[in-house]
Amino acid sequence: VVMSERVKQLGRLQDRYSLWLFLGTCVVFVITANRIDINVINDTLFVARPAWTLATEGSLNLENLPAFSGTSWTFLFDGHQRTDRFPGAILFTVPFSFVIRTETFSLISSGVAAAVACAGAVTLMHRVLLTLVSRKTALGAALVLALGTSVWSVASDAIWTEGPTMLALGLSMWALT
Protein backbone atom coordinates (compact mmCIF):
# COMPACT_ATOMS: atom_id res chain seq x y z
CA VAL A 1 0.00 0.00 0.00
CA VAL A 2 2.84 2.41 0.85
CA MET A 3 4.64 1.67 -2.43
CA SER A 4 1.43 2.18 -4.44
CA GLU A 5 0.90 5.60 -2.83
CA ARG A 6 4.52 6.56 -3.58
CA VAL A 7 4.06 5.64 -7.25
CA LYS A 8 0.89 7.76 -7.43
CA GLN A 9 2.70 10.68 -5.80
CA LEU A 10 5.59 10.38 -8.25
CA GLY A 11 3.13 10.34 -11.14
CA ARG A 12 1.46 13.50 -9.92
CA LEU A 13 4.85 15.17 -9.49
CA GLN A 14 5.82 14.25 -13.04
CA ASP A 15 2.49 15.58 -14.30
CA ARG A 16 3.16 18.84 -12.50
CA TYR A 17 6.64 19.14 -14.05
CA SER A 18 5.21 18.44 -17.49
CA LEU A 19 2.48 21.04 -17.01
CA TRP A 20 4.98 23.69 -15.90
CA LEU A 21 7.29 22.74 -18.77
CA PHE A 22 4.44 23.14 -21.26
CA LEU A 23 3.28 26.47 -19.81
CA GLY A 24 6.80 27.86 -19.47
CA THR A 25 7.94 26.95 -22.96
CA CYS A 26 4.62 28.07 -24.44
CA VAL A 27 4.95 31.51 -22.83
CA VAL A 28 8.55 31.89 -24.03
CA PHE A 29 7.62 30.73 -27.52
CA VAL A 30 4.57 33.02 -27.76
CA ILE A 31 6.48 36.07 -26.51
CA THR A 32 9.28 35.54 -29.01
CA ALA A 33 7.15 34.45 -32.00
CA ASN A 34 7.04 36.50 -35.17
CA ARG A 35 3.73 38.36 -35.01
CA ILE A 36 4.59 41.47 -36.94
CA ASP A 37 6.22 40.99 -40.33
CA ILE A 38 3.52 39.87 -42.77
CA ASN A 39 5.64 41.01 -45.70
CA VAL A 40 7.99 38.06 -45.36
CA ILE A 41 7.47 35.79 -48.32
CA ASN A 42 8.06 32.23 -47.15
CA ASP A 43 6.21 29.05 -46.26
CA THR A 44 4.78 30.52 -43.08
CA LEU A 45 2.81 33.22 -44.89
CA PHE A 46 1.33 30.62 -47.22
CA VAL A 47 0.26 28.48 -44.25
CA ALA A 48 -0.96 31.30 -42.00
CA ARG A 49 -2.97 33.16 -44.65
CA PRO A 50 -5.07 30.16 -45.83
CA ALA A 51 -5.75 29.21 -42.20
CA TRP A 52 -6.90 32.75 -41.44
CA THR A 53 -9.01 32.85 -44.63
CA LEU A 54 -10.60 29.49 -43.82
CA ALA A 55 -11.36 30.56 -40.23
CA THR A 56 -12.72 34.00 -41.09
CA GLU A 57 -14.25 33.55 -44.56
CA GLY A 58 -14.79 29.79 -44.76
CA SER A 59 -12.72 29.52 -47.92
CA LEU A 60 -9.25 28.49 -49.03
CA ASN A 61 -9.27 31.05 -51.85
CA LEU A 62 -6.49 33.58 -51.61
CA GLU A 63 -7.73 36.26 -54.00
CA ASN A 64 -6.98 38.99 -51.45
CA LEU A 65 -3.38 37.89 -51.09
CA PRO A 66 -1.07 40.24 -52.97
CA ALA A 67 0.48 38.54 -55.97
CA PHE A 68 4.10 37.83 -55.21
CA SER A 69 6.01 37.55 -58.44
CA GLY A 70 8.24 34.55 -58.76
CA THR A 71 6.72 32.57 -55.90
CA SER A 72 5.96 28.92 -56.45
CA TRP A 73 3.76 28.65 -53.34
CA THR A 74 0.46 29.48 -55.02
CA PHE A 75 -1.37 28.13 -58.03
CA LEU A 76 -4.67 28.63 -59.78
CA PHE A 77 -7.35 26.04 -59.11
CA ASP A 78 -10.75 26.39 -60.71
CA GLY A 79 -10.07 30.08 -61.24
CA HIS A 80 -9.04 30.70 -57.62
CA GLN A 81 -5.61 31.32 -56.16
CA ARG A 82 -4.64 28.55 -53.69
CA THR A 83 -1.56 27.59 -51.72
CA ASP A 84 0.46 24.44 -52.25
CA ARG A 85 1.62 24.21 -48.63
CA PHE A 86 0.90 21.07 -46.63
CA PRO A 87 -2.70 20.92 -45.36
CA GLY A 88 -1.74 19.58 -41.90
CA ALA A 89 -0.11 22.82 -40.79
CA ILE A 90 -2.95 24.86 -42.27
CA LEU A 91 -5.64 22.78 -40.55
CA PHE A 92 -3.72 22.84 -37.26
CA THR A 93 -3.70 26.66 -37.40
CA VAL A 94 -7.39 27.12 -38.29
CA PRO A 95 -8.74 26.79 -34.69
CA PHE A 96 -6.22 29.37 -33.47
CA SER A 97 -7.23 31.73 -36.29
CA PHE A 98 -10.88 31.17 -35.40
CA VAL A 99 -10.40 31.89 -31.69
CA ILE A 100 -7.90 34.73 -32.10
CA ARG A 101 -9.88 36.63 -34.71
CA THR A 102 -8.42 39.76 -36.18
CA GLU A 103 -10.15 42.25 -38.45
CA THR A 104 -7.39 41.98 -41.02
CA PHE A 105 -4.84 39.26 -41.56
CA SER A 106 -2.00 39.09 -39.03
CA LEU A 107 0.49 36.48 -37.88
CA ILE A 108 -0.68 36.50 -34.25
CA SER A 109 -2.84 33.38 -34.40
CA SER A 110 -0.32 31.41 -36.44
CA GLY A 111 2.47 32.42 -34.05
CA VAL A 112 0.42 31.14 -31.11
CA ALA A 113 -0.33 27.93 -33.04
CA ALA A 114 3.37 27.37 -33.68
CA ALA A 115 4.21 28.05 -30.03
CA VAL A 116 1.57 25.62 -28.76
CA ALA A 117 2.65 22.92 -31.21
CA CYS A 118 6.30 23.23 -30.21
CA ALA A 119 5.57 23.46 -26.47
CA GLY A 120 3.37 20.38 -26.81
CA ALA A 121 6.11 18.51 -28.66
CA VAL A 122 8.69 19.39 -25.99
CA THR A 123 6.31 18.32 -23.23
CA LEU A 124 5.55 15.01 -24.92
CA MET A 125 9.27 14.39 -25.40
CA HIS A 126 9.69 15.05 -21.67
CA ARG A 127 7.00 12.46 -20.92
CA VAL A 128 8.73 9.93 -23.18
CA LEU A 129 12.10 10.61 -21.60
CA LEU A 130 10.63 10.07 -18.13
CA THR A 131 10.18 6.41 -19.05
CA LEU A 132 13.86 6.10 -19.99
CA VAL A 133 15.94 8.31 -17.70
CA SER A 134 15.76 10.09 -14.36
CA ARG A 135 13.43 13.04 -13.78
CA LYS A 136 16.28 15.59 -13.78
CA THR A 137 17.81 14.21 -16.95
CA ALA A 138 14.43 14.17 -18.71
CA LEU A 139 13.75 17.77 -17.71
CA GLY A 140 17.24 18.88 -18.76
CA ALA A 141 16.96 17.14 -22.12
CA ALA A 142 13.52 18.66 -22.72
CA LEU A 143 14.83 22.14 -21.91
CA VAL A 144 17.79 21.65 -24.23
CA LEU A 145 15.38 20.55 -26.95
CA ALA A 146 13.14 23.56 -26.31
CA LEU A 147 15.71 26.30 -25.92
CA GLY A 148 18.96 24.98 -27.36
CA THR A 149 17.83 23.84 -30.80
CA SER A 150 15.95 25.26 -33.75
CA VAL A 151 12.68 24.41 -32.00
CA TRP A 152 12.84 27.86 -30.39
CA SER A 153 14.63 29.83 -33.08
CA VAL A 154 12.71 28.49 -36.09
CA ALA A 155 9.80 26.11 -35.49
CA SER A 156 8.10 28.09 -32.72
CA ASP A 157 8.76 31.45 -34.39
CA ALA A 158 6.12 30.98 -37.06
CA ILE A 159 3.85 28.24 -38.37
CA TRP A 160 6.35 26.19 -40.32
CA THR A 161 5.37 22.57 -40.91
CA GLU A 162 7.96 21.50 -38.32
CA GLY A 163 5.86 22.46 -35.28
CA PRO A 164 2.78 20.36 -36.03
CA THR A 165 5.03 17.56 -37.34
CA MET A 166 7.04 17.49 -34.10
CA LEU A 167 3.79 17.46 -32.14
CA ALA A 168 2.52 14.47 -34.15
CA LEU A 169 5.83 12.64 -33.71
CA GLY A 170 5.77 13.41 -29.97
CA LEU A 171 2.23 12.05 -29.70
CA SER A 172 3.30 8.91 -31.56
CA MET A 173 6.32 8.31 -29.34
CA TRP A 174 4.32 9.01 -26.19
CA ALA A 175 1.62 6.58 -27.33
CA LEU A 176 4.29 3.89 -27.73
CA THR A 177 5.56 4.26 -24.15
Side-chain angles (χ1 to χ4, degrees):
V1 175
V2 174
M3 183 58 109
S4 174
E5 192 61 37
R6 177 114 170 106
V7 169
K8 286 181 186 177
Q9 183 182 19
L10 181 61
R12 286 191 298 266
L13 184 63
Q14 289 174 347
D15 290 343
R16 208 172 322 141
Y17 281 127
S18 294
L19 176 64
W20 283 111
L21 178 66
F22 175 78
L23 292 175
T25 54
C26 197
V27 165
V28 169
F29 292 162
V30 165
I31 289 172
T32 59
N34 178 9
R35 302 175 305 277
I36 299 166
D37 194 358
I38 61 172
N39 297 316
V40 173
I41 302 170
N42 60 26
D43 288 2
T44 62
L45 176 64
F46 292 97
V47 170
R49 183 64 185 245
W52 179 81
T53 305
L54 189 58
T56 58
E57 300 172 9
S59 170
L60 287 172
N61 299 334
L62 300 175
E63 273 69 48
N64 299 348
L65 188 65
F68 297 115
S69 59
T71 180
S72 61
W73 293 313
T74 62
F75 62 95
L76 282 178
F77 178 78
D78 203 20
H80 298 286
Q81 187 178 9
R82 302 274 173 89
T83 183
D84 70 345
R85 297 298 82 197
F86 298 108
I90 294 169
L91 293 176
F92 181 81
T93 308
V94 169
F96 294 91
S97 297
F98 187 78
V99 171
I100 307 170
R101 283 187 177 251
T102 54
E103 192 75 22
T104 59
F105 172 69
S106 79
L107 294 174
I108 293 171
S109 59
S110 63
V112 172
V116 168
C118 290
V122 167
T123 303
L124 288 167
M125 180 56 70
H126 175 249
R127 299 300 296 181
V128 169
L129 288 170
L130 284 171
T131 65
L132 302 171
V133 296
S134 72
R135 187 170 31 104
K136 286 182 181 179
T137 303
L139 184 60
L143 288 172
V144 167
L145 174 64
L147 305 175
T149 68
S150 61
V151 170
W152 185 15
S153 60
V154 176
S156 72
D157 183 56
I159 191 66
W160 300 93
T161 56
E162 287 88 337
T165 301
M166 286 187 304
L167 181 62
L169 289 171
L171 278 169
S172 301
M173 289 189 300
W174 182 62
L176 291 173
T177 59

